[in-house]
Amino acid sequence: MSRTEITQNSSSLDGGGIYYYAPETYCGQSLSIHITGSTIANNHSAKNGGGLYVYSEYGRFNQLSGTLTENSADLSGGGLYIRTGDYHRSSEAFDVKYLDISHNTAGEQGGGLYSDGMIEAMYSEFHHNEAGFEGGAIYMKNN
């Protein structure tokens, strides 16, 4: 997805703006999602991932030159929620690059970003995010 706006959406479960699910590899290749130059804003989830919810056991996630702002989740990951599943390879990290994550809120953990796996954040800004309990900007859960 490139230069796309995802705004003012809601979900009664996960992924207020986008819900992405990659259950396994395809023909031995890791599945991936690429979102470049896009804005994900003013979305709400009644559970996790107000702006974007990614569930991938083997895939890679690349967010390039995008904005996640003013999203909210009642539970975790106001802007972005990354769930890696039980079988995720510990050597693979989710790439979070050239991303502005700001003004997102979560009722519990990870106002800006929640992840239960490894992430590689580079050239990104996290500011003015808020969580009800832990990790105003980032909450990392170690499985």
Side-chain angles (χ1 to χ4, degrees):
M1 181 169 36
S2 180
R3 297 182 185 195
T4 302
E5 288 189 14
I6 308 291
T7 61
Q8 299 180 349
N9 300 287
S10 65
S11 170
S12 60
L13 294 174
D14 296 315
I18 298 172
Y19 181 96
Y20 174 77
Y21 176 57
E24 56 189 50
T25 60
Y26 176 75
C27 295
Q29 298 294 315
S30 292
L31 301 174
S32 63
I33 180 173
H34 299 274
I35 300 173
T36 60
S38 296
T39 299
I40 300 173
N42 297 303
N43 300 290
H44 176 77
S45 170
K47 286 188 143 188
N48 302 302
L52 174 60
Y53 181 99
V54 176
Y55 178 23
S56 176
E57 293 178 1
Y58 296 103
R60 289 184 60 81
F61 168 74
N62 296 285
Q63 171 79 38
L64 306 172
S65 65
T67 301
L68 283 167
T69 188
E70 297 182 14
N71 298 290
S72 63
D74 291 347
L75 298 179
S76 298
L80 170 61
Y81 185 99
I82 300 171
R83 179 179 173 201
T84 57
D86 297 332
Y87 305 105
H88 190 75
R89 294 179 222 146
S90 62
S91 63
E92 278 193 36
F94 284 85
D95 295 329
V96 179
K97 297 180 181 173
Y98 302 104
L99 182 60
D100 180 13
I101 299 180
S102 64
H103 302 280
N104 299 289
T105 59
E108 294 183 2
Q109 295 118 348
L113 183 149
Y114 174 102
S115 179
D116 72 357
M118 290 180 18
I119 63 167
E120 182 176 327
M122 296 173 54
Y123 315 111
S124 296
E125 293 185 22
F126 294 82
H127 56 94
H128 297 94
N129 297 290
E130 184 177 334
F133 296 121
E134 302 164 316
I138 300 171
Y139 180 87
M140 299 289 298
K141 180 180 176 184
N142 185 3
N143 285 336

